[in-house]
Every structure is written in structure tokens, then in C-alpha cells.
Amino acid sequence: MSAPESWYLALLGFAEHFRTSSPPKIRLCVHCLQAVFQFKPPQRVEARTHLQLGSVLYHHTKNSDLARSHLEKAIAQFEDVKFEAASLLSELYCQQNLVDSAKPLLRKAIQISQQTPYWHCRLLFQLAQLHTLEKDLVSACDLLGVGAEYARVVGSEYTRLLFLYSIHTENTRKLQEVHPLLTLCGQIVENWQGNPIQKESLRVFFLVLQVTHYLDAGQVKSVKPCLKQLQQCIQTISTLHDDEILPSNPADLFHWLPKEHMCVLVYLVTVMHSMQAGYLEKAQKYTDKALMQLEKLKMLDCSPILSSFQVILLEHIIMCRLVTGHKATALQEISQVCQLCQQSPRLFSNHAAQLHTLLGLYCISVNCMDNAEAQFTTALRLTTHQELWTFIVTNLASVYIREGNRHQELYSLLERINPDHNFPVRRFLRETLKMSNAEDLNRLTACSLVLLGHIFYVLGNHRESNNMVVPAMQLASKIPDMSVQLWSSALLKDLNKACGNTMDAHEAAQMHQNFSQQLLQDHIAACSLPEHNLISWTDGPPPVQIQAQNGPTTSLASLL
């Protein structure tokens, strides 16, 4: 070994040791890599070092300007360095919301990478993803089609299938078109003969698509077999070692997601299913597991997708907290989402509407209706997503109902949600109950039952009311849904009192008082937190810090 190789490998070894320490010693890692330049290394070593420094600074520090400088220097050098540098630099641009800078960079790299199959495929995927983020699905599908044909030409059936799956994902926005297509994709995967890790990777991709499409359609019961297959598949892939069978085709080295990230993704879709089904304790359990896994991964890998997973998990668990009557915890987790979004303009851009929606839901839970209206109005301004828009408008309608004197605004909103809304309310609720029962949508079932019970009670049909309220209470206790329990116990108290059942009325009254006390204590705790001031934030990026103010609804104007 020559002397230059010795000092280079020594510094590289020290840098990697510091990077992978627990906790990582990034400052020392950077010092070791910077020391390489003191030896005036050959151009290829210099280019590789710029790439390594850019990667470490991008993934492990907030010094994006220095990371960008090193990556730009690496791009100007050798082919085995410039493609990786272009890939990382485009990610950095996107994190800074500089998509217009990322696209030409990727296009140029794609043009000159056709003799390097792995990077050519990866760069095509990245550019297609950028077009998807901009809602330019035609351009995204065109790029994915180019990738599929390129993979066919270079003999990589595995990568070709990844491109084809992605095309189907972008092209099939109508739920009725999805099921036959997914069935066909499933058959292709099962019949495909190849590397076991690649086959399981394709199966995870396919099953994630299948599960999310079922969940989009509200088919919580129907999705269970697919979700079970997905969970079994991720267990299988976790036992396989990447280096057991290395692909001979360079194009086959491309992975749509590292298996450690796949594990988090499977936790995430499990949380989505548990929440929709109304198994909130199960949702909490899997959220805790996923967040613990994310914490470990982010020590060594600050990939943007991990932060996206973390935000989506928090968004789901926040809604669970509000349902179970843990408003103070929900508020602190909303603050966590704000902190994550502060670190990434792109993350905030993608989740701003959801963040204001969560604040609106929190405001409803603490009876701050003016703030709730402001939050939902802000969220509506920031979203173009149809399902989220409908969710926000429906919750805004509930604010108008609670305020009691907003009839004109309410009718206008109802008209926007459903122009043909002249239907019998009880018949509509019974249809809702039928659909929710068929798909095990427990929260929807509980809410429908208690509302029907309330309607029958007002109409004087106490027997039918009781038949609705008792199962509503049982289901709400199982979820658990604190608001439905409070409502059900109040109805049971009035029902039993009207029927002369004194002891049952007393028992229901005691339950109602217990629920009221729990909610009141949590209400006081939430409104006493400095984070409560977030309810006044309706413009711009999240506040840098939340300071305690006098009173629970002090404006954040001074902080913004």
C-alpha cells in the first residue's frame, strides 16, 4: 500500500467511525474528511471527498449552504461521483423548495447517465417524483415509461416492474379502476422468478399500494387479509441479508426503499388501519414502535422520507389523542410537528393544511370556536386535495352548528359539500350505520348510534333510543371515544330518568360526571400549556418558539 493510500484510508476510516458512533460524532467526522484536502489528493479522491462531506453535512447538520457547496464541486468531476452528487443535490434543493433548480440538474444527469444503469434508473425515479409533487402526472408517467423501457432494454425485469407499478399508481386515481389492476400486478409478482430480496421488495410495494387503496375507499374490513400479508412479508424480508445474493445486473441494484424504511412504512399503514377501524390503543402501540424505529434510523440517516413518515404518524396519533380525551398530549405533539416543519420548507409546504386542520380540531375540543374557524379557513386556503378539503369543510360546518347562529354560512357549506342534500336525516343515518357495520368502522358506528338514539329520545321513542344508545356506549368504551361516552352517558341518564329507572339513572349520572371531570382536567391542563398559543397562528411558517403568555388564547403576533 502506498503512502497516499494509507493516509487516505486512515482518515476515511476515522470519519466513518465517528459517523457511526452512538451518538454520532459528526463534527469529528467532518474534521477528518476536511483533513483530506490538506494532502492535496488526486482529483478523483478530491471529488469523492467533496461528495462525502456534502452527504454528511446534508444528512446530519443544518448547514445546507456548505453541503450545497461541496456537492456542486463534486458534480463538476468524475462520472462515478457526479451522479450521486446530482441525486443528493436535487434532494437538498427540494428540501429548500427550490424544485426549479432540481429539475434541470436531474435532466442533465439523466442525459449523460445512460451507460450507468443504476444511476440512470434512480435519477429517472427522482425526476418523476418531483413532477408528481407538482401534480404534473403526465410528465411523471412519461418519465416512468422511459424508465420501464430502459429497464427492459438492459434486461432488468425487477426494475421494470418497479417503474410499471409506479405508472399504475399515478394513472389510477379512480378507485373502481384500481382493484382489477392490483389483482393483475399481484399475479405478476407471484409468478416472477428472481432474487428473493427483490421479490419480497416487489411484494411489499404491491401490498402497500393495495392496502392504501382499500383504506382510501374506507374498506377497513376488506383490507385485513392484505394487511396481514404485508405484515408477514416485512417479517420475511427482515430476515434476509442484502449481501447473500448480489444481483449481476447493475440496474437490479436499485431499491425503491431500504428495508429498514419499509418496516416503518408498514407500521404507518397499520396505524392508518387501526385508526380508521377505531382500534385506538392498537394505533398507539404501533405508533410508539414506529417512532422508536425512526429515532434509531435518524441517528445515522436523516433521509427526508423519514421526517415525512414521522409527521404522518404524529398527524394520526394526534387525532387519536383528541378522540380519547388527551388534548394536552395532542397539543404537545402538534408542537412537535411544527418543530419538524421548521426544519424543512418542503415538509411544511406539504403538511401546512393538515397542521392547521389539526389545530382546528384541537380548538373545537377546547371550545375555542373562533380560533377553530380561523384554523379551518387557513387550511382550506392551503389545500387542493379533495378529500382533505371535504374533511375540513365538514368540521367547519360542525363549528357553525355549535355556535348556533350561523345558519346561512352552514347552509352554504352544506351546499358545497353535497349540492343534493335534500334527504331524510334518519334514513341517511341508518344507511351510514349499515355501511359502517359492514366494514367495521367502529367510530362511525358509535357516532351514528348515539345520534340516532338522541333523535329517537327527542321524538319520545324511548325504547328505540335505548336500543341505540346502549351499544353506542359499549362501542365507545371499546375504542375508547371520550366524547361519545360523554354523550351516551348523558342520554342514558335522561332515558332512565324518563322511564323511572332511578338506580340506572343514578349510575349513568355518575358515569357522566366522571367523564366530565376527566375532560375538564385535561381541558385545563391543555389551555395552561404555552403551546396553546398556537391556536392564534394562521399565517406564515410555524412560530420558532412558543412562550407562556397570560391567559390561554394570547395572540402569537409578537412571535411571528
Side-chain angles (χ1 to χ4, degrees):
M1 179 183 289
S2 64
E5 288 178 340
S6 300
W7 61 255
Y8 176 61
L9 292 177
L11 286 171
L12 209 60
F14 278 125
E16 185 64 6
H17 167 74
F18 291 131
R19 188 187 72 85
T20 57
S21 297
S22 184
K25 299 174 182 177
I26 299 303
R27 185 174 61 84
L28 294 175
C29 171
V30 170
H31 284 334
C32 289
L33 291 173
Q34 287 174 330
V36 171
F37 299 125
Q38 302 300 318
F39 290 86
K40 301 193 183 319
Q43 285 187 326
R44 187 175 294 277
V45 171
E46 184 180 347
R48 172 63 61 181
T49 304
H50 279 301
L51 172 61
Q52 290 164 325
L53 272 166
S55 178
V56 169
L57 290 165
Y58 169 59
H59 286 123
H60 299 283
T61 76
K62 296 179 182 179
N63 197 338
S64 55
D65 289 340
L66 188 55
R68 178 174 169 176
S69 173
H70 281 292
L71 290 172
E72 286 172 346
K73 289 174 182 175
I75 280 181
Q77 301 295 327
F78 301 88
E79 284 194 359
D80 61 337
V81 172
K82 70 168 57 177
F83 300 136
E84 186 174 353
S87 176
L88 275 175
L89 187 55
S90 69
E91 283 185 21
L92 189 151
Y93 283 148
C94 290
Q95 284 295 299
Q96 297 177 323
N97 263 355
L98 300 173
V99 176
D100 288 340
S101 298
K103 286 192 291 189
L105 174 66
L106 287 172
R107 287 194 196 102
K108 183 177 179 181
I110 287 167
Q111 287 173 359
I112 61 175
S113 64
Q114 293 191 28
Q115 302 305 313
T116 315
Y118 168 79
W119 283 111
H120 192 66
C121 292
R122 177 165 173 169
L123 294 164
L124 280 167
F125 260 113
Q126 278 188 265
L127 186 54
Q129 185 183 37
L130 289 191
H131 284 295
T132 300
L133 289 172
E134 293 188 317
K135 306 289 190 285
D136 183 2
L137 301 185
V138 173
S139 297
C141 288
D142 286 345
L143 284 163
L144 293 169
V146 170
E149 176 60 18
Y150 176 83
R152 185 192 67 78
V153 170
V154 297
S156 174
E157 184 65 11
Y158 160 74
T159 304
R160 177 173 168 268
L161 283 173
L162 286 179
F163 277 111
L164 290 175
Y165 273 3
S166 301
I167 292 171
H168 294 328
T169 304
E170 300 303 338
N171 273 332
T172 54
R173 298 293 174 180
K174 295 180 181 178
L175 290 171
Q176 64 268 26
E177 297 175 3
V178 170
H179 295 300
L181 185 59
L182 286 176
T183 301
L184 177 62
C185 288
Q187 291 170 351
I188 293 172
V189 173
E190 294 307 319
N191 294 332
W192 185 72
Q193 301 296 319
N195 184 313
I197 292 178
Q198 291 178 335
K199 181 162 186 171
E200 292 304 312
S201 175
L202 286 170
R203 290 190 73 222
V204 171
F205 196 154
F206 159 68
L207 288 166
V208 166
L209 291 178
Q210 196 169 33
V211 169
T212 51
H213 277 300
Y214 272 119
L215 292 178
D216 281 345
Q219 296 175 322
V220 169
K221 185 177 182 180
S222 303
V223 79
K224 285 182 179 179
C226 300
L227 182 59
K228 188 174 181 180
Q229 284 182 56
L230 177 59
Q231 291 164 342
Q232 290 170 343
C233 188
I234 201 65
Q235 288 178 346
T236 300
I237 206 170
S238 298
T239 63
L240 299 173
H241 297 288
D242 295 334
D243 55 357
E244 282 183 356
I245 308 173
L246 288 175
S248 56
N249 189 332
D252 285 345
L253 292 169
F254 179 77
H255 289 287
W256 70 278
L257 204 63
K259 65 181 181 182
E260 295 82 7
H261 295 193
M262 289 184 201
C263 292
V264 178
L265 180 58
V266 173
Y267 280 137
L268 175 55
V269 294
T270 303
V271 168
M272 292 168 65
H273 175 263
S274 300
M275 184 181 160
Q276 282 197 30
Y279 304 133
L280 301 193
E281 290 180 351
K282 187 176 179 182
Q284 173 67 63
K285 170 187 167 185
Y286 281 105
T287 298
D288 290 343
K289 286 185 175 183
L291 291 175
M292 192 179 302
Q293 183 79 1
L294 277 169
E295 187 177 342
K296 292 177 182 176
L297 288 173
K298 290 181 79 170
M299 290 181 70
L300 296 175
D301 178 4
C302 292
S303 172
I305 198 170
L306 296 180
S307 294
S308 296
F309 286 162
Q310 189 174 359
V311 167
I312 296 169
L313 281 162
L314 287 169
E315 287 171 353
H316 281 78
I317 203 60
I318 287 162
M319 288 187 279
C320 291
R321 305 278 196 210
L322 294 173
V323 171
T324 57
H326 297 94
K327 297 182 281 289
T329 307
L331 182 58
Q332 290 169 325
E333 288 165 339
I334 290 173
S335 181
Q336 285 183 45
V337 176
C338 287
Q339 291 168 26
L340 286 165
C341 288
Q342 285 168 10
Q343 298 166 17
S344 167
R346 178 183 173 187
L347 199 60
F348 177 62
S349 175
N350 291 340
H351 292 270
Q354 293 92 317
L355 186 48
H356 284 287
T357 302
L358 291 170
L359 280 167
L361 295 174
Y362 167 76
C363 290
I364 291 177
S365 74
V366 292
N367 205 32
C368 296
M369 295 302 161
D370 288 345
N371 297 99
E373 182 180 357
Q375 292 295 336
F376 289 139
T377 302
T378 301
L380 286 173
R381 190 179 75 243
L382 294 171
T383 190
T384 56
H385 192 278
Q386 184 59 43
E387 284 79 7
L388 181 58
W389 181 91
T390 304
F391 180 77
I392 297 166
V393 170
T394 304
N395 280 284
L396 185 55
S398 77
V399 171
Y400 293 156
I401 291 170
R402 287 168 186 244
E403 290 187 317
N405 57 352
R406 309 288 295 276
H407 302 300
Q408 191 56 49
E409 292 101 322
L410 175 61
Y411 293 141
S412 175
L413 275 182
L414 291 175
E415 186 71 32
R416 291 170 70 189
I417 297 170
N418 184 0
D420 185 25
H421 62 270
N422 297 315
F423 39 68
V425 174
R426 264 184 293 169
R427 177 184 168 190
F428 187 62
L429 281 172
R430 287 189 184 278
E431 286 297 315
T432 301
L433 196 55
K434 183 178 176 182
M435 287 189 294
S436 61
N437 267 328
E439 282 294 340
D440 290 347
L441 296 164
N442 292 330
R443 279 203 67 223
L444 189 56
T445 300
C447 291
S448 301
L449 284 169
V450 73
L451 183 52
L452 274 170
H454 197 127
I455 292 169
F456 284 123
Y457 173 74
V458 171
L459 294 174
N461 189 341
H462 295 166
R463 181 179 177 182
E464 193 67 24
S465 177
N466 191 71
N467 289 341
M468 299 290 165
V469 178
V470 170
M473 178 60 119
Q474 292 170 343
L475 200 50
S477 302
K478 179 183 174 184
I479 292 171
D481 187 321
M482 187 63 80
S483 296
V484 174
Q485 285 177 292
L486 185 70
W487 190 358
S488 299
S489 60
L491 274 173
L492 284 173
K493 177 187 70 174
D494 294 341
L495 269 172
N496 285 305
K497 187 176 179 182
C499 296
N501 301 327
T502 308
M503 290 186 66
D504 289 340
H506 177 74
E507 183 181 341
Q510 187 61 51
M511 278 196 301
H512 186 263
Q513 185 178 359
N514 291 341
F515 292 137
S516 298
Q517 283 298 315
Q518 289 178 48
L519 286 168
L520 179 61
Q521 289 170 8
D522 186 55
H523 179 109
I524 293 169
C527 292
S528 300
L529 291 170
E531 291 90 347
H532 182 80
N533 290 313
L534 275 170
I535 68 174
S536 299
W537 162 60
T538 56
D539 191 35
V544 174
Q545 61 181 13
I546 307 299
Q547 297 175 351
Q549 306 277 348
N550 293 326
T553 58
T554 304
S555 171
L556 280 179
S558 61
L559 298 179
L560 299 174

